[in-house]
Amino acid sequence: MAERPAAEIAVPSKDPKEKKKEEDKKLDTKANGVKDEEEELSEEDAQLKSELEMLIERLKELNTDLYRPALETLRTLIRTSTSSMTSVPKPLKFLRPHYPGLQELFETWPTSENKSLFADILSVLAMTYSDTEPRGTLRYRLLSASLLPPTSKISEPGSWGHEYVRHLAAELGEEYTIRQEGEEAVPLPAPEADSDAPKSKPAPVPGTIEDLHSLGLECATFFLGHNAEPDAVDLFVELEIVDRIASLVDANTFGRVCAYMDRCVTLLPPPDDVTFLRTIHKIYLQFSKFPEALGVAIRLNDAALIRQDFNASGNPVMKKQLAFLLARAQIPIEWLKASASEDADAEDEFPEDILDCLSNTQLSRHFKEFGKEVGVADPKSLEDVYKSHLETTRSGLSANVDSARANLAGTFVNAFVNAGFGNDKLMVEAEEGNSWVYKNKDHGMMSAAASLGLGLLWDTDVGLSHIDRYTYSPEEWIKAGAFFATGLLNAGVRTEADAALALLAEHVENQSVPLKTAAIMGLGVAYAGSHREDLLTLLLPAVADDGVSMEIAALSALALGFVFVGSGNGEITSTILQTLMERDDKALDEKWGRFMALGLALLYVGLQDASDATLETLKAIQHPISRQAQILVEVCSFVATGNVLRVQRLLHLCGEHLDALKEQAESAEGKKDENKDEKKEDKKPDDTFQSFAVLGIAMIAMGEDIGAEMSMRQFNHLMHYGDPIIRKSVPLALGLISASNPQLPVLDTLSKYSHDHDLAVALNAIFAMGLVGAGTNNARLAQMLRQLAGYYYKEPDCLFMVRIAQGLVHMGKGTIGINPFFSDRNIMSRPAIAGLLATIMAFTDAKAFILDKYHWMLYFLVTAMYPRFLITLDEDLESKPVTVRVGQAVDVVGQAGKPRTISGFQTHQTPVRLGTTERAELATEEFIPYAHVLEGFVILQKNPGWEKEDTMQM
């Protein structure tokens, strides 16, 4: 064994040198001349090379008759040369050394059709010189076009092959950018030795912008015909004519073009993103894809477009499907009606069945049937959720730590877990005197009575009769809870009776504060997103009235924010701004200020630049609340746009602590005594805006995966280096950015924060765990929460929060989610954003709100709660079970062919539950869905071609 390696090592000692010498020799010969290369060339390459050289010689001769045939042959040789993917085509390789000479020759020729053809050939050769002579290909291409007589037409760019077109497209983009930046004077920077030639002839090179556009259109047409839709879109983006692509697409390409453009929207700076959406909308309408077009119109939040799309389809069944989509997005029904002048007839426009779909009236019935199908119709008790026998506590100690607290937590758990089924044992089905309400104290009774609204969610008929008996209670708190329950019950459902308005309107002026706040917020939640003018006159006076407490004014502003979310309503804006200006500092310092600012911000959800004027006005207000309001208005305007510049600005605000401390230290040295009070004043408002900035990062980054992942890293840094206020807000931001979407990294992070030494951070982290897992029944998360219940058995606040988080995770027994995005996570529900943000806002100061007597604010989540189901219906809107495949959604944008859109699927019978990141597709082709995304209610149509296939098989 030992001798073998020795022998092997000893022998080759001199060998490598020999090899080196050979290599050196080779290099020398290569340097000396091209002789070797020719010897290496195969016979046919050598022949090609000599032929090309002969043709070039011909072009240099004086006999002009030879030019045309020589150019034609050159063109044919270049076009027919086949090349492998990795190497340059042979003719281009051999012609490259002659390129500078040919350029000089070209300048000497007189204008003629031959010269145009010569320019065309040079344009192809210029590809090999693109590094030293930028945009040569484009220059000769445009020259060639300009030299042609008007009668004849230049050959298509596509005739030179795909690589040429891509090269040309890249140069078009460059040239256009340079021109836009005003550098037309130097079309060709630094040509080589023959610098005089190109400079003497720069005039025709530029062409007009229009020439560039028309050439771009030719390239794009080629791309679209050759499965390169993304290239076509990118070229149009660079040329800033993206709206023109609508005229080029056909039935085969439009789907892929729209899918790619759709994915670009979040990555584009504003105005471009809206242009893109409008172009996508135009294309979809062109091909009568009404659900897709309506989806885009909803994202644009454009009332006129939505009305036009809704009325575009003549098919009544398609109209029902569109109505389901509008109801899910909670678009105001008034938007679909004709203008005021025709209002008298407008009422009769919608048939009964379409109005039912628009108003969501059938939601409760279908949801309960879905619950039965999935086997979760039976009510769950608190113990079923807590599973306290699995907790690791010493049972004797924790039993009676704070029984009122425990019962209050039980109220929320029961409300969230049994939401919408209308059969829970504690409230709805309880015997007369034995209701859970009486197991709570004072303000606890309000939340307990309000939980009825959640238990009977969406069921407007039965619900009111249950709630009614509590409205006559002598206990003020119970009465208030019943009012709020009336509002919760009607969330997201519109009825003819308008019960919420009828019952609550009179109490908005009530003397008692609990009744007043319950009526105001009940209306806000019940009519979220409805833009109802009659509520404006009802609630606005309370905002403007200096006589009412800040609490009433702020909650009225918030309720208006809910109702008019994303409307940019000028009247409300000016009233709230007026109030912020006129109220004295003491009132604005109260904890309620943030809700008034939020009410203002919600008016601008998704409106982008429309909020500029408001932001300017806010800057004029001298109080620190102006800064909080500015941040809230800005992040609401740009929610889910992924706007990088805004995120950077917010990060900047989050990192401000050092300077503040320095200034305070300096001023403290100067005059310590005077400054003590001021310091306290400074400190408080200074902080709160940072909390909103952290939430703002999540708001802007949510809705698109790349941004959300990037923000995770930022949150990690903020957690390490931020001030206490920032650390307290990071868990909330994490909960917001992945609501109902429990991914492992997020869960692990939150689990770490939930054991933080700062209890405020831990509390918010526990609540965030509830948000992240809302309605998912996630087993891992449930286990984490059980451990936390054991860990915090002596901390009543944290334990209370753990219980609520457990309730959230099992929301609707795992059938209801709170993710604000739907329709394949493309469309954002504005009322859902409002509800999530308002709930989280209460946690920015949990001690003052949720842990005080305002725990009913947890019910704000109701506007974001929606069943995560897929229910297939026939054309008469009756349930129709079919087989579907459900799996993780895969992003297939820009992939070739028809890749699978879901991975790891299971086949189920509808109705089925869909997770946040899941997607469904029909398993057979027996039915054709009216909707473009299988989610929520989908109407199916029998496939006319299906039976025929079946009989053939037999």
Side-chain angles (χ1 to χ4, degrees), residues 572-754:
I572 305 176
T573 305
S574 55
T575 311
I576 296 181
L577 286 171
Q578 196 69 23
T579 310
L580 288 175
M581 284 176 181
E582 289 171 2
R583 286 260 171 165
D584 54 3
D585 284 3
K586 191 163 177 294
L588 294 178
D589 281 340
E590 281 184 42
K591 61 183 179 183
W592 292 102
R594 68 194 69 199
F595 281 106
M596 185 167 278
L598 180 62
L600 175 62
L602 289 178
L603 299 173
Y604 289 102
V605 167
L607 293 189
Q608 299 212 2
D609 295 329
S611 60
D612 287 354
T614 310
L615 287 170
E616 286 308 312
T617 319
L618 281 169
K619 285 177 187 163
I621 299 172
Q622 291 305 307
H623 190 270
I625 196 168
S626 107
R627 223 171 160 187
Q628 301 168 24
Q630 282 173 44
I631 292 177
L632 284 174
V633 170
E634 188 175 341
V635 299
C636 282
S637 310
F638 288 91
V639 60
T641 53
N643 187 312
V644 183
L645 297 174
R646 310 276 161 176
V647 175
Q648 287 170 349
R649 199 178 305 172
L650 293 170
L651 281 169
H652 193 75
L653 289 171
C654 295
E656 274 185 2
H657 52 232
L658 299 172
D659 313 3
L661 290 175
K662 261 188 208 159
E663 285 165 21
Q664 279 179 4
E666 285 161 19
S667 56
E669 281 166 20
K671 33 187 173 173
K672 272 186 187 156
D673 302 359
E674 291 170 40
N675 226 30
K676 264 182 191 160
D677 306 80
E678 274 179 39
K679 213 183 204 176
K680 275 182 198 158
E681 290 293 297
D682 279 0
K683 184 122 179 63
K684 198 75 183 152
D686 251 345
D687 275 4
T688 320
F689 77 86
Q690 292 191 315
S691 175
F692 300 163
V694 176
L695 294 176
I697 296 170
M699 290 278 289
I700 291 176
M702 70 204 276
E704 104 15 267
D705 301 339
I706 303 171
E709 262 178 53
M710 282 159 55
S711 65
M712 293 287 181
R713 275 191 56 196
Q714 299 303 337
F715 291 143
N716 214 342
H717 295 324
L718 290 173
M719 206 60 187
H720 276 288
Y721 305 114
D723 288 347
I725 184 87
I726 289 181
R727 299 191 64 232
K728 197 167 78 175
S729 314
V730 167
L732 296 174
L734 287 170
L736 181 60
I737 208 165
S738 47
S740 285
N741 185 10
Q743 293 152 323
L744 279 181
V746 185
L747 291 186
D748 289 345
T749 310
L750 286 172
S751 173
K752 190 171 76 191
Y753 296 158
S754 64

Side-chain angles (χ1 to χ4, degrees), residues 396-439:
L397 287 169
S398 64
N400 290 341
V401 171
D402 188 352
S403 114
R405 228 355 159 25
N407 285 358
L408 182 58
T411 302
F412 288 106
V413 173
N414 176 54
F416 285 129
V417 171
N418 295 307
F421 289 100
N423 60 0
D424 68 284
K425 292 275 181 276
L426 299 186
M427 292 295 303
V428 183
E429 305 271 306
E431 296 87 54
E432 191 52 46
N434 201 12
S435 165
W436 185 256
V437 172
Y438 303 108
K439 294 208 168 72

